[in-house]
């Protein structure tokens, strides 16, 4: 009672600008009576964009996430992958707070916020999307952790790719949206304030079929995936939040 699983995506870069993108998944048990969560840091290599094989992740480090309030936190990390990376970074909520208060739920109606969460296709497990739908801004933000088209061939960290989906047109009662921008970021350095470049590389259409089923269609118009199109049938990685209904 009072416990749950916290899953977080970490979208970052190699330790050099030439190394490219990197992503990690963090998971641990959260308790309602503690503002601190211990997390395993995992990652996976050698997959292909929206295609098999299934990629089994491996734990490469440990992190401690501490929430200071509903909008601020701190992440301390230690990697055990031979890189000897350790550090701590301040965190700031990206979109406005919807339902959080220091005592728990603040009483605001969550609306389509309950569609937020992590989604994947079991046939290509090891890649997926994390959605954040914010009814205060009518904003949809998603981070897509995946691989290069031929990522299985080179394998290793250079096989990884990640994109963001962003739109400020997600209406309060919407269950679908077309023309969402897909963006790619380049030029960053791991846990470093070095400037990055973000470029629109395509568009996506989404349809929430239910609180546990989602269809995403994508069309890339720039960079490495130019001309690549496809559809992904996604399911939640966990149960639907209480109160979610479509």
């Amino acid at each position: 009672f009072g416990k749950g699983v916290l899953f977080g995506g970490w979208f970052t870069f190699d330790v050099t600008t030439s190394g490219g993108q990197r992503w990690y998944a963090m998971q641990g048990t959260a308790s309602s009576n503690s503002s601190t969560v211990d997390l395993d840091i995992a990652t996976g290599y050698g997959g292909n964009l929206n295609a098999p094989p299934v990629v089994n992740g491996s734990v490469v480090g440990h992190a401690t996430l501490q929430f200071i309030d509903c909008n601020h936190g701190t992440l301390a990390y230690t990697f055990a992958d031979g890189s000897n990376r350790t550090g701590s970074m301040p965190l700031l909520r990206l979109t406005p707070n919807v339902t959080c208060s220091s005592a728990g739920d603040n009483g605001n109606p969550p609306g389509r916020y309950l569609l937020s969460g992590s989604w994947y296709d079991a046939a290509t497990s090891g890649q997926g999307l994390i959605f954040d739908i914010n009814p205060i801004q009518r904003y949809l933000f998603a981070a897509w952790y995946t691989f290069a088209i031929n990522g299985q061939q080179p394998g290793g960290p250079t096989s990884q790719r990640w994109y963001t989906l962003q739109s400020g047109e997600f209406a309060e009662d919407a269950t679908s949206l077309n023309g969402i921008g897909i963006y790619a970021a380049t030029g960053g350095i791991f846990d470093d304030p070095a400037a990055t470049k973000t470029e629109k590389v395509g568009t996506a259409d989404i349809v929430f079929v239910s609180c546990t089923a989602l269809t995403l269609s994508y069309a890339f118009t720039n960079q490495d995936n130019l001309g690549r199109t496809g559809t992904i049938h996604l399911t939640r990685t966990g149960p639907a939040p209480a109160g979610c209904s479509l």
Side-chain angles (χ1 to χ4, degrees), residues 15-34:
V15 295
T16 65
T17 54
S18 60
Q21 296 177 324
R22 298 289 185 272
W23 54 255
Y24 302 96
M26 300 181 291
Q27 184 168 309
T29 300
S31 173
S32 61
N33 59 10
S34 176

Side-chain angles (χ1 to χ4, degrees), residues 22 26-27 58 62 83 86 94 106 143 199 203 221 235 239 243:
R22 298 289 185 272
M26 300 181 291
Q27 184 168 309
S58 59
H62 179 80
S83 65
T86 63
L94 186 63
N106 64 10
E199 183 177 2
T203 58
T221 57
T235 58

Side-chain angles (χ1 to χ4, degrees), residues 199-212:
E199 183 177 2
K200 186 175 181 180
V201 295
T203 58
D205 303 335
I206 64 166
V207 178
F208 286 95
V209 181
S210 70
C211 289
T212 57

Side-chain angles (χ1 to χ4, degrees), residues 32-68:
S32 61
N33 59 10
S34 176
S35 60
T36 301
V37 187
D38 291 325
L39 303 165
D40 286 330
I41 304 172
T43 196
Y45 306 131
N48 298 308
L49 175 74
N50 189 28
V54 168
V55 173
N56 295 314
S58 59
V59 175
V60 293
H62 179 80
T64 301
L65 174 62
Q66 181 178 13
F67 292 102
I68 299 170

